[in-house]
Amino acid sequence: MPIKTMTPSKQQIDELRNMFIQKYENNPPAVDFHPVDIDRVRNDDLWCTRFLEMYDLDMQMSFDKLWNTCIWRQSFRANDLNESNVRKDYLQDGVIFPHNTDVDGKPLLIFKTKKHIKGSKDMNEILKVLVYWIERIHRETYMEKITIFFDMDGCGLSNMDLEFIKMIIDTFKQYYPNALNYILVFEMAWVLNAAFKIVKALLPEKAVEILKIITKKTIDTYVDKDNCLASWGGNDNYEFTFTPEVKKLKVNGSVPTEDPNNNVQDKKVHFANSSPTRVPAVAPIHMHEPDHSPQEQAMLEISPSDELKFSRDDSNDGEIKLTCKSSTPVAYKIQTTSPDKFRVKPRCGILNPGETVVVNILLKPEHKLSGNGKDKFLIMCVPALDVQPQHVVEYWRKVGQDSPDMENYRFLCSYTDDDKSTPKVIANGVGSSPVDNARDYVSVSATETRKLEKQLKFTQTLQWITLVVLFILSIAVIYLLKLQIVNDEGCLSKDGLADAVDFATCAKGKADL
């Protein structure tokens, strides 16, 4: 039976969604979350439902996990993993691949453990491959639950990598809540039992319910014969060969269709806030849509494109150049998360087609940038037909911030001497780079892994000692039995040698006496 969970109500789902959106608007992360993740929260109940189910409808816990998951997904670039940025040899070696479904129709994600040799691969790259397959399955099946299939047939101690298995468990445990239908372990050798007892201890309580140890005789309880590979005793002669993903596009909420260009690289654009939302009485989130290039279909061309730099010396000023690319006049307005720190001139205005304005932004001398990505600017623009420049403030009051024709552009503020190679992301209130976040959240703790491996080695040593002792005892028992048989034969012998035997020492002789 799959994991038993409590089903959240629509009201609880909306409550979690509203908590997320309110925090995103009032206290946004240093780096905007990916548009795909924002869209999932805003317009799809399934993702929020999974978090509530996993954490027993605990609203605060579900919210914290959802927020941290979005931070990790942005820093790890989970939505952007594709065949061009994942190691191809790892994709093609057949250690991890999806194929067929279980008895419930859920996709199988197969781990051919025999093909994995401990210490032979970069674990961060293996993690990318794992996340790539999970994301690809979710795109192709609309976030269907997954059954993990550990094919342990033919595995030895060299294939048993606790770090590899713990990485798989941690990834699902932390970032894919209630995403598993079963965890199937196929034909596990008895010598690996101790290791899997340790692994079992790492699983959350709910996951232990779906962990099943199976053999060729019992596999059809979870995977029918037609979906079983021939090596599992089934009818499928499939041999893995990697096939690139066929990208699909979602048009106006309709069923996804194949992308004719099959371009795996997502592009980004600042888009009009026209996407539907089911969140009542909460302002929509303004994000970037990954379907167009930055200046394609945009009303404004902006330079710099996404980050505003300030010097640490006395010249604490920056500038943003706005150029109207629309065929009609455009009204613009600039807002900031730290109005007490900055002086903006002009703050709003009208741009005619082809016209350019330079906006001067002064960081007041008595203030410094926060250093944690909290200082941001938002540029909004809308079409402005027949609007005079002197009436632009009144026009913005009339338009508000919910116009379906509005485009929004976000900017981070940083100093010119900040390290550009590792943009900072805030995780649990601590500044860290995306690489650090991925390691903090997903990479296996070296100390914990060493401890587990010591326990495994100790248990395996005890098993070998037990085998040796049993072997010695078996030899001793056989030897004693042989001696007994020889004695009995000697007592019953009728030839001349029988006279040399002390009749009283034989068991039969004693009985006759």
Side-chain angles (χ1 to χ4, degrees), residues 160-328:
M160 189 61 192
D161 189 348
L162 279 178
E163 184 180 0
F164 175 60
I165 295 176
K166 189 173 186 298
M167 179 193 72
I168 298 168
I169 293 172
D170 280 351
T171 302
F172 279 97
K173 180 179 177 180
Q174 297 290 342
Y175 309 116
Y176 296 94
N178 201 21
L180 295 178
N181 196 48
Y182 286 110
I183 302 173
L184 304 179
V185 183
F186 176 73
E187 293 290 356
M188 183 174 64
W190 69 269
V191 74
L192 302 178
N193 284 341
F196 249 84
K197 286 181 180 178
I198 297 173
V199 171
K200 188 176 180 180
L202 300 173
L203 292 170
E205 184 177 351
K206 292 182 185 298
V208 174
E209 300 173 12
I210 60 174
L211 176 64
K212 308 296 179 182
I213 309 297
I214 60 176
T215 64
K216 288 184 178 180
K217 294 181 179 180
T218 60
I219 190 173
D220 56 356
T221 304
Y222 303 99
V223 184
D224 61 49
K225 291 294 183 182
D226 290 337
N227 285 325
C228 284
L229 299 181
S231 59
W232 305 343
N235 303 326
D236 189 351
N237 294 315
Y238 173 79
E239 293 290 338
F240 171 74
T241 54
F242 177 75
T243 304
E245 180 181 8
V246 177
K247 283 285 187 175
K248 297 183 178 182
L249 297 175
K250 183 184 290 187
V251 182
N252 296 328
S254 62
V255 177
T257 57
E258 290 188 6
D259 180 1
N261 298 321
N262 194 24
N263 187 0
V264 296
Q265 291 287 353
D266 288 339
K267 302 176 183 178
K268 292 191 176 182
V269 67
H270 308 288
F271 71 98
N273 178 31
S274 57
S275 57
T277 179
R278 294 180 292 188
V279 183
V282 177
I285 296 176
H286 310 299
M287 287 294 298
H288 307 306
E289 187 78 5
D291 294 332
H292 309 288
S293 61
Q295 305 307 331
E296 187 179 86
Q297 301 179 359
M299 287 186 278
L300 290 180
E301 180 180 63
I302 301 180
S303 178
S305 60
D306 57 4
E307 191 170 15
L308 188 59
K309 292 289 187 178
F310 292 88
S311 173
R312 293 185 186 271
D313 57 27
D314 295 334
S315 179
N316 291 342
D317 62 297
E319 62 180 31
I320 300 175
K321 184 182 292 186
L322 309 179
T323 301
C324 179
K325 306 298 290 185
S326 174
S327 59
T328 60

Side-chain angles (χ1 to χ4, degrees), residues 149-166:
F149 193 103
F150 287 105
D151 186 350
M152 309 290 287
D153 191 23
C155 287
L157 293 176
S158 63
N159 307 117
M160 189 61 192
D161 189 348
L162 279 178
E163 184 180 0
F164 175 60
I165 295 176
K166 189 173 186 298

Side-chain angles (χ1 to χ4, degrees), residues 133-149:
W133 281 121
I134 297 172
E135 294 294 318
R136 178 168 169 176
I137 291 172
H138 280 175
R139 284 191 293 266
E140 293 174 347
T141 64
Y142 179 53
M143 295 186 67
E144 188 69 87
K145 287 188 177 183
I146 297 170
T147 288
I148 294 178
F149 193 103

Side-chain angles (χ1 to χ4, degrees), residues 17-28 281-282 285:
R17 178 183 290 121
N18 289 344
M19 288 175 64
F20 184 94
I21 293 177
Q22 287 171 359
K23 179 173 181 178
Y24 196 90
E25 286 294 316
N26 299 329
N27 187 21
V282 177
I285 296 176

